[in-house]
Amino acid sequence: MKNVGLISLGCPKNSVDSEKMLFLLKENGYNIVSDERKADIIIVNTCAFIEDAKKESIETIIQMGQLKKKRLKYLIATGCLSERYNKELMKELPELDAVIGTGDFTEIVKVIEKLKRGEKVLKYGHPDLLKDEGISRVLTTPPYYAYLKIAEGCSNACSFCIIPKLRGKYRSRKIEDILKEAEELVKRGVKELILIAQDTTKYGIDLYKKPVLPELLRELAKIEGVKWIRLLYAYPDSVTDELIEEIKKNEKVVKYIDIPLQHSSESVLRRMNRGTTRDKIEEVISKLRSIPGMVIRTTFIVGFPGETEEEFENLKRFLIDKRFERVGVFTYSREEGTKAYYMKPQIKRSVKLKRQRELMEIQQKISYEFNFSKIGSRLEVMIEGFEDGIYYGRSYMDAPEIDGIVYVKSNKKLLPGDFISVTIKDAFEYDLLGEY
């Protein structure tokens, strides 16, 4: 009963929770296995942000449940789906032995001990009471980069989003705690720190009564061994001049920002309750563009309730005009428990998909033209692996798993985590090809 397998679904924030569970299990004598068929216990750390994520989580639980016919003894669901549909999961998926919400995953060892005593466990309803500070992690990322969670929860009230109900109100970590964890990660070989939270730009507003992300970036940059610091999930209404200046002058902060805009139409932004305006978005983008080499990633939602053809055309023009280097487009997911769930009219799925395709076709062309402009230039690339006779890695312009790849031809032996200067020779819609 010592072999444990863990499947982590959803966002990097969930991955960090999974890594902490793995550490707790390992510290208590459990053996972590990557092959679920060899597991006595399987944990599925679920996501419930949108419909597709919920389906993936449920399908994974059902699939893992099939292993109970063989070796598997206990199946546990943790994470956002467990927090959201706690009793329903236990009732509808009898293969589950325990359902643990977002605030209780640190109790994973105690939960397993209860299962061994023949109890079923249902534990949820405490997202604001999460106590995971000081718990180390078993990294599931490659050893040269790691996600660094700087805050938990969210106090924004976007009308389409269920996350505040699943993760609790916004809670920043203390700067000294973040720095201590970052130093530990760097000692273990991490060269790229990727800052994450539901909203990184509001970091510190609860603890220090003002946003202090620029100060945190300055302190992280002092850690010897840190090569890149990357910023994800920045909200436009909280991108201050001080933050922009820090990104500009801090050599370790890559000139890249993930800033989910969701829409460009003033009327849609109001219905989404985004707390920002088109003018503010335009202003922030303009200031970010003043940083040499700045790469902006953003996401948009199409098919939000009531989205008219005129509002969608507004978004298309905005995309063409702003020429973001990296873009993701999602179809609106109607989530019960949110204000947007009750808004009318709801847009047909076929219309949502059509609009998504239109935007992605526009972005594909923009992305190719941007990549084509890089031919002949030199880029610093972090090598990640070797496959089919060619190396591959990422430049500062690419976050792992969501952005492009730089393929590298080289006669020299390179190792994962090496930083090299690459001459770009060819370009594709989302990837680059270079030589070293």
Side-chain angles (χ1 to χ4, degrees):
M1 294 301 298
K2 287 291 184 181
N3 284 358
V4 181
L6 190 150
I7 299 169
S8 191
L9 304 173
C11 66
K13 298 178 285 292
N14 219 32
S15 299
V16 172
D17 295 346
S18 295
E19 292 174 347
K20 293 195 170 190
M21 278 194 279
L22 290 174
F23 175 81
L24 291 170
L25 291 162
K26 197 171 181 181
E27 283 290 288
N28 284 273
Y30 288 93
N31 179 41
I32 310 302
V33 296
S34 56
D35 185 348
E36 292 89 2
R37 293 170 299 178
K38 295 179 180 178
D40 304 304
I41 303 160
I42 290 178
I43 302 163
V44 181
N45 197 11
T46 63
C47 179
F49 181 48
I50 57 176
E51 189 63 31
D52 286 347
K54 289 187 289 187
K55 285 180 180 177
E56 182 186 20
S57 294
I58 291 169
E59 287 169 1
T60 303
I61 291 169
I62 293 170
Q63 182 183 355
M64 292 302 106
Q66 296 297 312
L67 296 177
K68 281 196 164 185
K69 297 173 183 177
K70 299 178 181 178
R71 173 174 180 149
L72 185 65
K73 183 67 175 176
Y74 301 125
L75 181 58
I76 303 169
T78 61
C80 288
L81 193 76
S82 297
E83 184 67 39
R84 189 173 182 184
Y85 298 110
N86 36 78
K87 293 177 183 176
E88 294 95 323
L89 286 179
M90 194 68 96
K91 180 182 177 183
E92 299 297 330
L93 298 173
E95 55 266 56
L96 282 172
D97 300 288
V99 174
I100 310 172
T102 56
D104 299 292
F105 72 83
T106 56
E107 302 289 307
I108 187 63
V109 175
K110 291 180 182 178
V111 167
I112 291 174
E113 293 306 312
K114 286 184 178 182
L115 295 182
K116 290 178 180 178
R117 294 196 297 268
E119 302 177 38
K120 281 210 167 192
V121 181
L122 179 60
K123 200 169 179 65
Y124 67 96
H126 315 105
D128 283 322
L129 302 180
L130 175 61
K131 296 177 181 177
D132 63 341
E133 198 60 70
I135 299 173
S136 191
R137 296 155 57 184
V138 173
L139 288 182
T140 55
T141 55
Y144 43 84
Y145 78 82
Y147 295 101
L148 185 59
K149 191 189 289 190
I150 64 174
E152 183 56 90
C154 187
S155 296
N156 297 329
C158 299
S159 64
F160 55 84
C161 185
I162 195 68
I163 293 298
K165 293 185 178 180
L166 305 182
R167 291 282 178 175
K169 65 180 183 296
Y170 195 85
R171 286 114 54 213
S172 302
R173 297 175 61 195
K174 293 178 182 177
I175 286 183
E176 53 265 35
D177 291 334
I178 295 171
L179 293 176
K180 184 179 178 181
E181 182 179 4
E183 286 167 356
E184 179 189 331
L185 291 169
V186 172
K187 284 177 184 175
R188 291 159 66 180
V190 169
K191 299 176 181 179
E192 179 184 15
L193 295 171
I194 305 173
L195 273 54
I196 56 172
Q198 297 298 336
D199 178 356
T200 52
T201 38
K202 286 191 175 65
Y203 171 72
I205 199 163
D206 53 324
L207 274 184
Y208 307 109
K209 308 308 174 190
K210 63 176 183 176
V212 292
L213 181 58
E215 181 182 339
L216 176 62
L217 292 173
R218 282 193 291 274
E219 293 302 313
L220 286 170
K222 293 176 184 177
I223 299 174
E224 190 175 347
V226 173
K227 176 74 174 175
W228 285 349
I229 301 171
R230 188 179 300 276
L231 192 57
L232 302 188
Y233 316 130
Y235 275 51
D237 57 303
S238 304
V239 176
T240 62
D241 289 347
E242 184 187 3
L243 176 59
I244 292 169
E245 185 61 25
E246 185 61 33
I247 295 171
K248 186 175 184 177
K249 71 181 183 182
N250 192 322
E251 292 182 1
K252 291 189 178 182
V253 177
V254 295
K255 309 317 173 204
Y256 171 108
I257 193 167
D258 179 316
I259 181 166
L261 298 176
Q262 312 302 17
H263 217 280
S264 62
S265 168
E266 197 79 44
S267 50
V268 177
L269 290 170
R270 281 196 300 270
R271 296 201 299 277
M272 287 181 167
N273 198 33
R274 287 290 289 167
T276 193
T277 63
R278 171 68 176 261
D279 286 346
K280 173 64 176 177
I281 289 171
E282 297 265 10
E283 178 188 344
V284 167
I285 292 169
S286 177
K287 288 178 178 178
L288 287 169
R289 289 298 187 203
S290 71
I291 302 173
M294 190 68 192
V295 167
I296 302 176
R297 159 169 275 280
T298 191
T299 52
F300 296 112
I301 295 173
V302 293
F304 190 77
E307 185 186 52
T308 64
E309 283 295 334
E310 183 181 353
E311 289 167 337
F312 176 63
E313 287 297 322
N314 179 302
L315 182 54
K316 281 172 65 176
R317 290 193 300 272
F318 181 75
L319 185 62
I320 292 167
D321 180 48
K322 298 307 173 189
R323 299 184 67 81
F324 299 105
E325 290 81 6
R326 310 283 186 253
V327 171
V329 180
F330 296 89
T331 57
Y332 166 72
S333 180
R334 190 182 186 191
E335 299 299 321
E336 66 272 21
T338 65
K339 290 184 179 180
Y341 182 86
Y342 303 99
M343 291 181 180
K344 295 180 180 179
Q346 295 286 329
I347 307 299
K348 290 181 180 178
R349 184 170 182 272
S350 59
V351 175
K352 294 180 194 177
L353 292 172
K354 178 177 177 291
R355 290 176 178 177
Q356 182 187 42
R357 282 194 302 271
E358 283 188 44
L359 281 195
M360 287 312 300
E361 285 171 5
I362 292 170
Q363 181 56 32
Q364 187 177 45
K365 186 172 184 289
I366 292 170
S367 179
Y368 174 72
E369 289 172 353
F370 171 73
N371 280 354
F372 188 81
S373 73
K374 295 299 174 185
I375 294 176
S377 67
R378 295 181 72 83
L379 277 178
E380 187 175 40
V381 172
M382 180 169 65
I383 294 299
E384 296 199 290
F386 183 81
E387 191 174 314
D388 297 330
I390 195 165
Y391 290 96
Y392 61 89
R394 291 183 291 116
S395 74
Y396 81 92
M397 305 185 296
D398 306 299
E401 299 183 0
I402 56 173
D403 292 325
I405 292 171
V406 182
Y407 294 98
V408 181
K409 293 179 179 179
S410 174
N411 293 323
K412 297 179 182 178
K413 184 174 175 57
L414 303 172
L415 297 173
D418 283 351
F419 283 83
I420 59 171
S421 181
V422 175
T423 302
I424 303 303
K425 296 293 186 178
D426 203 356
F428 313 99
E429 281 88 352
Y430 300 111
D431 303 323
L432 294 168
L433 174 65
E435 290 182 358
Y436 173 66

